[in-house]
Amino acid sequence: MWRGEPGSAGRYEHYEVPFEQGQTVLDGLRWIRVHKDPSLAIRFSCINANACKECMIRVDGKTVYACTTRLVEADMTLEPLPNKALIKDLVTEIAPPDERAENLSK
Amino acid sequence: MRVKLETDVLVIGSGGAGMYAAIAAARKGASVLLVDRSLIGRGGATVMAQMTVAVAVGEEEPDHWEHHLADTLKAGRGLCDENLSRLLCEDGPACIREMDEWGIGWARRDGHMAQVHAPGHDRKRCVYVDFLNTGPAVSKTLRARVQRIPEIRRAGDLLITDVALRDGVCVGALALHIPTGNAVGVSAKATIIATGGLTRLYARNSASLNMGGDGYALALRAGAELIDMEFVQFFPIGHLAPRLVGMDPIMWDPFRYKLGGRLLNAQMKEFLPEEGRYVSARDVATYAILKEVAEGRGSPHGGAWLSFQHCSEATLRGAFGPVMDRLATNGIDLTRQPIEVAPIAHYHMGGIRVDTDMRTSVPHLFAAGEAVGGANGANRLSGNAITEAVTFGRRAGLRAAELAATSKLAAVPEGRFAGSKPKLNPAAAIVELQKVMNTEVGPLRTQAGLERALEHITSTKFDLPPPRHGLDPEWLDLHDFRNMRLVAECVTRAALARTESRGAHQRQDFAETSDAWSKHQSIRLVGGQAQLDSVPGT
């Protein structure tokens, strides 16, 4: 999994998560935050309904929703979206420009 | 870095209530700032709602809002704030028709809005958008509307951390810009809390990440009152197994509306007097399933079986079209197998105490939607949540704009976080709290269990440390944990005090409904402590 922040070189870190049939990449990421490293940044809202569309990341080079991509019993490579500004770790700037606080006039 | 923003009306939360409030306020001439800790119109409960909206439009058969009100009051087990219930039922048709004009696409039959019969209603009253698309359609319609109104500015990724007060009057709010960690002060002439409910407090829930009771915590710390906090509705047939991804766990509800379905125990026998019809009220079904589980007749994962095996492939596809393909990708074939369901925390009847103008007890602070308590009493009628969101949002937006028109902006005081980082993994602490709440403050409660929960909840106290620069996931979890603990304490204290069973509040040690308890409990913070008071029923 790619970890890093804007301005840093970033690094790939290796995590092992328990495999349970049917679990998703988001389940695995949430497991890491609870059991290994709460500083891991991921973005999601609806958790499992595929309604919020916020958990988009790259898994093995493909852009997917973490909440609907199943874990497999093998290495998976997780990265932030390459075409969006990085915020931290797997989180990128996906809000429409006119819905960002920094773009508001006073 | 501190950023300052100014607006006539600040709306916190961009679900159905918040977006409708923004539209209504702008229509009245106010400038609006609509903020959400998630993306605009994406987080929150509305976008996840897959079922129906109860409204007396009378298109399927003659109806009147008074009939809807009668059903709402009956479902509320004698504890509805009738004025708020009336507002929901009376204003519902106008909002639903307005959204129809905005192109929401309510399902139609023979040229009129299709309305289905849902449990607890005396007639076909519930409109919907196919297929399982009601909430997303409401969200999308309101979002498109909001985007077209120049008076409404929108900001996602903005977490409101506290209501700002001057001399006890709300003058806006303090916020954190999540991606940068910047402090933001929002000066507002009127502020509306539309942050939804608290179902994230429970391990088994249909919540999004945003439903940790933020609005209740904001209101409490600002000095406002909460009411009916003990009434958390568990939805009886939340999806349990096999693992289903990409679908809301509430999805079996519309299946039951359209197709009936049979709820079965481990012996494959119906244990409710339904005979394949969807007629049991939510609280009744929840306790019946838990009773089967407790007596060793539950399904393998600790719930009940739900079977649609009486339906042909053609019937299922006719009713739910592409949803059948989504089920197939999850390995589920309803013609061949039942699925497992169990009660999950779904909605909170309690909330911020308001009058029919959505005013809280703090001047210039309003609330709307699920964040408001009282309209649904001790048990919410199926289909009333989105109706509540849009009607209360509309009223709050209108009244906030009227107030703003005669008010002046005041400077927002500096806020700061001065605590030190507690030694805990906040993500793990939240999971632990959710487990305790589910076990001890869930659908079945006892004094001993509630006391255990209270001890757990109050065992860790901390003040928030300053957030670090940039996105700080640990700080966000700490923020959520702090709010969730405060709100969990309110639910638990109210549940402990109510020594009776009524609607969604069931005490195993006080199984009967008591006339003496035909009253509400309010909660406010006094010297930092949650204090309960009795409020007579209406």
Side-chain angles (χ1 to χ4, degrees):
Chain A
M1 186 195 310
W2 194 89
R3 302 280 315 261
E5 296 183 61
S8 75
R11 65 202 182 274
Y12 285 88
E13 288 195 5
H14 195 263
Y15 297 90
E16 282 189 22
V17 302
F19 178 78
E20 205 178 302
Q21 196 68 44
Q23 297 277 77
T24 66
V25 169
L26 183 59
D27 293 332
L29 291 170
R30 293 172 67 209
W31 188 91
I32 291 168
R33 295 200 69 251
V34 170
H35 294 95
K36 299 287 178 193
D37 185 357
S39 75
L40 171 63
I42 54 178
R43 178 200 268 277
F44 65 98
S45 175
C46 77
I47 302 177
N48 189 56
N50 197 221
C52 72
K53 314 288 185 188
E54 293 193 22
C55 64
M56 242 191 294
I57 58 170
R58 296 273 275 195
V59 175
D60 295 334
K62 281 187 190 155
T63 298
V64 297
Y65 294 114
C67 77
T68 56
T69 305
R70 305 273 187 175
L71 284 178
V72 293
E73 274 183 292
D75 277 342
M76 302 177 86
T77 303
L78 275 49
E79 296 164 312
L81 297 179
N83 56 340
K84 303 279 182 190
L86 177 72
I87 293 178
K88 180 177 159 66
D89 298 340
L90 298 177
V91 180
T92 49
E93 181 54 89
I94 57 169
D98 62 346
E99 295 186 348
R100 298 178 194 167
E102 64 269 31
N103 293 345
L104 293 180
S105 55
K106 185 178 179 236
Chain B
M1 188 181 130
R2 188 177 145 100
V3 181
K4 286 183 184 169
L5 297 168
E6 291 178 353
T7 184
D8 289 339
V9 176
L10 168 66
V11 180
I12 308 169
S14 66
M19 289 196 286
Y20 224 114
I23 294 165
R27 200 151 54 186
K28 199 71 189 169
S31 67
V32 178
L33 179 62
L34 174 64
V35 306
D36 199 294
R37 59 179 292 178
S38 178
L39 300 182
I40 298 297
R42 300 288 191 84
T46 301
V47 73
M48 296 170 72
Q50 297 192 340
M51 29 199 184
T52 62
V53 181
V55 60
V57 286
E59 300 235 344
E60 194 76 42
E61 56 181 302
D63 200 355
H64 190 278
W65 63 263
E66 286 176 352
H67 302 312
H68 183 189
L69 177 61
D71 286 345
T72 298
L73 298 182
K74 192 174 158 203
R77 307 285 187 268
L79 222 60
C80 291
D81 178 328
E82 290 194 27
N83 295 321
L84 290 178
S85 314
R86 175 180 168 150
L87 173 64
L88 184 163
C89 297
E90 193 174 5
D91 282 9
C95 292
I96 267 44
R97 291 195 190 286
E98 190 162 55
M99 286 192 285
D100 195 42
E101 288 164 21
W102 295 340
I104 188 169
W106 298 117
R108 285 189 140 74
R109 182 162 41 230
D110 304 329
H112 64 76
M113 283 184 212
Q115 292 183 279
V116 290
H117 188 265
H121 291 273
D122 70 346
R123 67 195 71 204
K124 293 176 179 171
R125 181 172 292 136
C126 295
V127 300
Y128 57 93
V129 180
D130 272 327
F131 291 96
L132 305 189
N133 203 37
T134 302
V138 170
S139 247
K140 190 178 168 191
T141 303
L142 295 179
R143 193 150 53 95
R145 198 79 201 160
V146 159
Q147 284 169 352
R148 291 225 300 266
I149 302 175
E151 288 76 18
I152 303 175
R153 292 179 299 161
R154 315 177 302 281
D157 285 333
L158 204 56
L159 174 70
I160 300 296
T161 51
D162 266 304
V163 168
L165 299 172
R166 269 198 190 273
D167 304 324
V169 175
C170 172
V171 294
L174 301 166
L176 180 90
H177 183 233
I178 292 175
T180 58
N182 285 339
V184 179
V186 184
S187 292
K189 295 173 184 170
T191 298
I192 302 171
I193 295 176
T195 50
L198 54 59
T199 43
R200 189 186 168 206
L201 293 182
Y202 291 87
R204 277 187 184 171
N205 65 53
S206 60
S208 75
L209 195 64
N210 306 344
M211 290 175 226
D214 280 349
Y216 306 138
L218 291 175
L220 272 177
R221 288 198 296 266
E225 273 181 300
L226 307 182
I227 196 162
D228 294 339
M229 290 301 284
E230 61 271 43
F231 295 104
V232 181
Q233 181 169 68
F234 277 70
F235 176 73
I237 53 168
H239 185 81
L240 181 61
R243 184 76 164 90
L244 182 60
V245 306
M247 303 188 79
D248 185 275
I250 298 297
M251 59 170 294
W252 300 115
D253 185 79
F255 272 75
R256 293 213 69 193
Y257 283 129
K258 287 191 180 178
L259 303 169
R262 285 157 47 86
L263 205 51
L264 308 166
N265 63 17
Q267 297 150 2
M268 292 296 163
K269 285 189 180 141
E270 279 191 296
F271 51 89
L272 280 163
E274 291 196 322
E275 292 166 1
R277 294 168 305 135
Y278 191 27
V279 290
S280 304
R282 288 181 173 173
D283 50 353
V284 172
T286 290
Y287 308 122
I289 292 170
L290 294 178
K291 185 161 166 259
E292 292 302 302
V293 174
E295 293 177 6
R297 295 188 298 272
S299 65
H301 290 84
W305 294 106
L306 177 61
S307 171
F308 295 96
Q309 285 166 278
H310 63 287
C311 299
S312 69
E313 171 70 26
T315 306
L316 286 162
R317 194 157 282 279
F320 288 100
V323 177
M324 303 312 294
D325 300 324
R326 280 155 72 190
L327 286 172
T329 61
N330 277 282
I332 294 172
D333 178 353
L334 293 178
T335 63
R336 304 173 73 92
Q337 69 191 109
I339 44 90
E340 288 182 64
V341 294
I344 56 175
H346 178 52
Y347 176 86
H348 184 222
M349 275 71 74
I352 302 166
R353 190 176 182 198
V354 297
D355 62 16
T356 51
D357 289 327
M358 302 293 129
R359 292 183 298 204
T360 72
S361 52
V362 174
H364 295 243
L365 181 63
F366 297 74
E370 188 178 347
V372 163
N376 297 289
N379 177 56
R380 176 171 65 79
L381 189 63
S382 181
N384 267 1
I386 286 184
T387 321
E388 175 183 61
V390 294
T391 55
F392 288 16
R394 192 171 78 143
R395 176 65 61 94
L398 176 66
R399 294 293 183 249
E402 287 170 354
L403 179 63
T406 58
S407 306
K408 286 192 174 123
L409 281 177
V412 168
E414 295 278 331
R416 72 192 182 99
F417 301 104
S420 53
K421 197 172 158 184
K423 285 187 177 57
L424 51 85
N425 173 340
I430 287 172
V431 169
E432 196 55 38
L433 176 65
Q434 289 172 317
K435 282 184 193 160
V436 170
M437 289 300 286
N438 218 86
T439 310
E440 312 287 17
V441 199
L444 295 175
R445 300 165 172 177
T446 64
Q447 181 179 334
L450 292 166
E451 284 173 347
R452 277 194 296 273
L454 201 54
E455 197 180 321
H456 176 88
I457 293 162
T458 53
S459 62
T460 36
K461 286 210 164 151
F462 60 91
D463 289 320
L464 282 174
R468 67 190 277 280
H469 181 69
L471 173 59
D472 186 349
E474 275 181 279
W475 190 91
L476 291 171
D477 277 345
L478 267 183
H479 166 276
D480 289 2
F481 182 49
R482 172 170 171 258
N483 278 356
M484 289 169 78
R485 270 188 51 247
L486 177 59
V487 175
E489 181 181 344
C490 292
V491 176
T492 308
R493 284 198 191 280
L496 198 51
R498 183 175 284 276
T499 49
E500 66 151 0
S501 290
R502 182 188 298 264
H505 171 72
Q506 293 290 319
R507 287 281 299 259
Q508 289 178 292
D509 44 358
F510 295 94
E512 302 299 316
T513 301
S514 155
D515 285 344
W517 271 107
S518 292
K519 60 182 179 184
H520 306 272
Q521 299 184 95
S522 68
I523 300 183
R524 61 198 175 99
L525 284 185
V526 179
Q529 299 293 312
Q531 184 177 299
L532 280 172
D533 281 303
S534 280
V535 180
T538 53

